[in-house]
Amino acid sequence: MNELLKDIEELAVKAGSAIMDVYQSDDFGVDHKADDSPLTKADLAAHKVIVAGLQGLTPETPILSEESTDIPYEERKAWDKYWLVDPLDGTKEFIKRNGEFTVNIALIEHGKPILSVVYVPVTEVSYSAAAGVGVFKREKGKKHSIMVKRNSRFKPTVVGSRSHMSDEVKSYLERLGQHELVSMGSSLKFCLVAEGKADLYPRLGLTSEWDTAAAQCIVEQAGGKVVTLDGEPLRYNSKESLLNPHFMVFGDKSKDWVNI
């Protein structure tokens, strides 16, 4: 598992390099999908790098990527283990050139993410985790373990979406009371909770399974939780739709963040 994690981290860096080639150009090649979400040359370039890399590493393991989602559930539901990939999470942030986008690669087994890498191409920071191995942050050539904050602050730090702040989240934050709000794009919101820089990420809006799997693994291996509003762990490939229910990400398990 440790060796595979290292291979996936190297693959994410390679995909990040392909993304940066586009990021530093004058032509993002922006198009739009059927749901009106943006698609760029960088999304497709990273997708090709990751799929080719995973097929070389684990040819027997299926791959589900945001850019190849037309796999019917009748086929997917037979998968005990598969790769779940978002080649470029935070395409809107990419287009805005604010640097808050990531490469997300996760290995799912029996509906649960068990190994993952979240890589930030602009800063060259990576978060990696695997069950039985631990969770790590690598920056400036140095790698160290990370952990959620065990006891929430009197005034909790809440991380929210830079591009998708829903009315439901605004209402929740009013009920929460005093807090500090930090806006962040992509799966970096999860990572802030995982390394103890934020207490809570309430996501009361639509996301897809590839948006969350890699970062969920990071949070869980760091000692935090990612749960639905029923208090159950976020699960994968359990239904035909690839949309997630609303969920909460938090570090301090002693507080009931769901029923505020």
Side-chain angles (χ1 to χ4, degrees):
M1 188 73 85
N2 206 350
E3 198 59 37
L4 180 58
L5 187 60
K6 182 180 176 182
D7 289 338
I8 298 305
E9 191 172 4
E10 291 174 356
L11 180 58
V13 171
K14 188 176 179 181
S17 179
I19 289 171
M20 291 306 293
D21 286 345
V22 178
Y23 193 65
Q24 292 162 351
S25 74
D26 294 325
D27 180 17
F28 287 0
V30 180
D31 201 349
H32 286 83
K33 303 177 191 178
D35 64 358
D36 207 35
S37 61
L39 176 70
T40 71
K41 289 180 179 179
D43 295 80
L44 298 175
H47 167 79
K48 290 177 182 177
V49 167
I50 294 169
V51 169
L54 292 177
Q55 287 174 338
L57 288 168
T58 57
E60 73 288 351
T61 305
I63 303 165
L64 179 64
S65 168
E66 180 179 8
E67 309 314 333
S68 61
T69 59
D70 55 347
I71 301 171
Y73 183 58
E74 283 302 308
E75 178 180 344
R76 285 191 287 112
K77 70 180 181 181
W79 295 352
D80 290 330
K81 180 185 288 188
Y82 69 101
W83 292 104
L84 182 54
V85 176
D86 192 343
L88 200 173
D89 181 34
T91 301
K92 290 182 179 179
E93 315 309 328
F94 176 89
I95 293 169
K96 293 174 185 175
R97 291 184 183 271
N98 67 15
E100 295 175 4
F101 51 88
T102 60
V103 176
N104 297 347
I105 305 175
L107 181 61
I108 310 296
E109 187 171 48
H110 302 301
K112 180 179 179 178
I114 61 166
L115 178 150
S116 77
V117 171
V118 173
Y119 179 66
V120 191
V122 168
T123 60
E124 299 181 354
V125 169
S126 68
Y127 299 86
S128 59
V133 174
V135 56
F136 309 95
K137 181 179 181 180
R138 187 190 299 274
E139 55 184 334
K140 297 179 181 178
K142 295 182 179 180
K143 181 178 177 181
H144 61 274
S145 298
I146 58 175
M147 183 179 289
V148 298
K149 190 169 181 65
R150 295 296 183 183
N151 297 305
S152 60
R153 290 158 273 250
F154 171 74
K155 183 179 178 181
T157 299
V158 181
V159 63
S161 175
R162 193 175 294 283
S163 301
H164 305 279
M165 182 63 78
S166 68
D167 290 338
E168 289 90 341
V169 171
K170 293 175 183 176
S171 176
Y172 174 86
L173 293 179
E174 286 179 6
R175 298 195 303 273
L176 180 64
Q178 264 197 332
H179 64 275
E180 178 185 357
L181 181 63
V182 176
S183 295
M184 184 66 65
S186 73
S187 57
L188 287 170
K189 295 182 286 293
F190 287 77
C191 296
L192 288 181
V193 175
E195 58 182 317
K197 292 182 177 179
D199 297 290
L200 171 69
Y201 166 36
R203 185 58 190 232
L204 307 178
L206 291 180
T207 56
S208 296
E209 293 188 1
W210 51 78
D211 293 319
T212 58
Q216 178 174 349
C217 186
I218 303 295
V219 170
E220 290 179 340
Q221 294 304 315
K225 296 191 77 171
V226 181
V227 301
T228 68
L229 301 189
D230 294 326
E232 296 299 319
L234 203 58
R235 303 288 289 182
Y236 295 87
N237 201 33
S238 62
K239 59 190 187 312
E240 184 167 357
S241 172
L242 289 165
L243 293 175
N244 289 319
H246 293 179
F247 60 85
M248 298 275 177
V249 182
F250 52 88
D252 182 4
K253 301 175 186 177
S254 68
K255 184 174 176 65
D256 185 358
W257 297 101
V258 175
N259 297 302
I260 294 293

